[in-house]
Amino acid sequence: MIAIDYENFSLVSGAKDKSFIQIYSRTPDPGPEFIEKYKNYLANFGYDPSKIKDTPQDCQALSNSQLAAMMSMPGMQRALTKQFPDPFTS
């Protein structure tokens, strides 16, 4: 975690060599000004803003019934509570 304000954004590094960074927003489409602001901020931490790629956020949000159906799928509760079978005992 590089920075977070708990209301608007967080900046998360996924690699020690600075090859992977994620800019999160509470707003699904924060706009180019938001992205540019945090790309420039990340330059202070050694990230190259020109190498930070935008990830489209165009996926469809699930309705409550779709989410309930997904959550009732076999194995979902085990996965959410990290109750995975031990691959070395099978």
Side-chain angles (χ1 to χ4, degrees):
M1 181 72 60
I2 295 173
I4 186 169
D5 77 351
Y6 298 99
E7 294 177 16
N8 301 297
F9 79 99
S10 64
L11 306 174
V12 180
S13 178
K16 289 182 182 181
D17 67 358
K18 298 184 178 168
S19 63
F20 185 75
I21 186 77
Q22 293 176 312
I23 301 172
Y24 290 101
S25 168
R26 294 262 187 205
T27 305
D29 185 12
E33 297 85 15
F34 175 93
I35 299 300
E36 287 306 311
K37 174 182 176 180
Y38 290 107
K39 281 184 177 182
N40 292 330
Y41 177 83
L42 288 164
N44 296 322
F45 293 92
Y47 290 90
D48 181 350
S50 69
K51 293 183 178 179
I52 299 173
K53 306 294 182 215
D54 192 15
T55 303
Q57 302 295 315
D58 57 357
C59 59
Q60 179 182 4
L62 296 177
S63 68
N64 286 342
S65 61
Q66 290 170 315
L67 183 58
M70 182 181 75
M71 296 305 292
S72 66
M73 293 173 66
M76 183 59 81
Q77 289 304 311
R78 283 194 324 252
L80 290 172
T81 57
K82 298 180 183 177
Q83 298 174 9
F84 299 105
D86 186 344
F88 302 108
T89 60
S90 38

